Amino acid sequence: LMLEYYIRYIDMPSATKGMTIEDSDGFFNIYINASLSAAEQEEAIKHEIRHLERKDFDTEKSLREAEAL
């Protein structure tokens, strides 16, 4: 399985570590909070990639179910 995604570092509210959004071309954009430490950013990236590996975007899971990693 080849997952296609871009990682983007942006300013986000401090409570948000990251989020993933699928664009109209089917690519996933992983947005990571630019103010996190390098270690926190790495953990946030791993967390978001797990959502892709679990196909959370292809199901009818609620946000709460998808976040139960």
Side-chain angles (χ1 to χ4, degrees), residues 15-31:
T16 305
K17 293 184 179 181
M19 70 176 75
T20 301
I21 300 172
E22 185 176 9
D23 67 20
S24 60
D25 295 324
F27 288 95
F28 291 97
N29 294 280
I30 297 175
Y31 295 95

Side-chain angles (χ1 to χ4, degrees):
L1 172 66
M2 177 65 179
L3 298 171
E4 298 192 40
Y5 57 87
Y6 298 105
I7 298 174
R8 304 175 190 281
Y9 298 88
I10 63 171
D11 293 329
M12 303 171 93
S14 59
T16 305
K17 293 184 179 181
M19 70 176 75
T20 301
I21 300 172
E22 185 176 9
D23 67 20
S24 60
D25 295 324
F27 288 95
F28 291 97
N29 294 280
I30 297 175
Y31 295 95
I32 300 298
N33 191 330
S35 67
L36 297 174
S37 70
E40 290 173 313
Q41 288 177 347
E42 185 176 332
E43 285 304 311
I45 291 167
K46 288 178 184 177
H47 176 92
E48 296 303 320
I49 290 173
R50 281 194 299 271
H51 284 299
L52 298 179
E53 291 172 342
R54 290 181 356 169
K55 301 184 187 306
D56 287 343
F57 294 90
D58 297 336
T59 68
E60 296 298 320
K61 289 181 186 176
S62 69
L63 180 60
R64 178 172 286 166
E65 291 171 319
E67 284 299 316
L69 289 173

